[in-house]
Every structure is written in structure tokens, then in C-alpha cells.
Amino acid sequence: MIKKIKKAMFLLRRPVRADRREFNGELLDQRREDVFVLMHQQMTGLN
């Protein structure tokens, strides 16, 4: 049990990956618009 705790603590101290992707606001906006359109299409079909 102590070994599992030590291993978990070691994993928590790992550095953040250097190859993290940057936030893409434009892509987020496009996905949001796509979901908005699909939701309205679904709601229109329910009437």
C-alpha cells in the first residue's frame, strides 16, 4: 500500500508536457456554431 501511495505522489509531481497545444479560440467558435445549428435542427424536428 505504501508503494502505491509513493507511486501516486511521484506521478503527481511530473512536469507539464512541453508539447501542449495552444488554445484555439477560432476552432472553439466554429465547433460552438456547429453544435448550435445541430441543436436547432433537432428541436425543429421534434415539433
Side-chain angles (χ1 to χ4, degrees):
M1 184 67 162
I2 298 293
K3 287 182 181 181
K4 288 182 181 180
I5 293 172
K6 286 182 180 180
K7 185 176 181 179
M9 295 298 289
F10 175 75
L11 291 175
L12 291 175
R13 289 187 292 163
R14 289 184 8 198
V16 177
R17 288 183 10 196
D19 63 338
R20 290 184 62 183
R21 296 180 185 164
E22 291 187 27
F23 179 75
N24 188 339
E26 186 176 326
L27 181 60
L28 178 64
D29 289 340
Q30 179 62 46
R31 297 290 186 238
R32 186 181 296 126
E33 290 173 13
D34 292 345
V35 170
F36 186 76
V37 169
L38 288 172
M39 286 175 58
H40 278 280
Q41 289 174 349
Q42 293 296 317
M43 293 303 289
T44 303
L46 294 176
N47 291 333

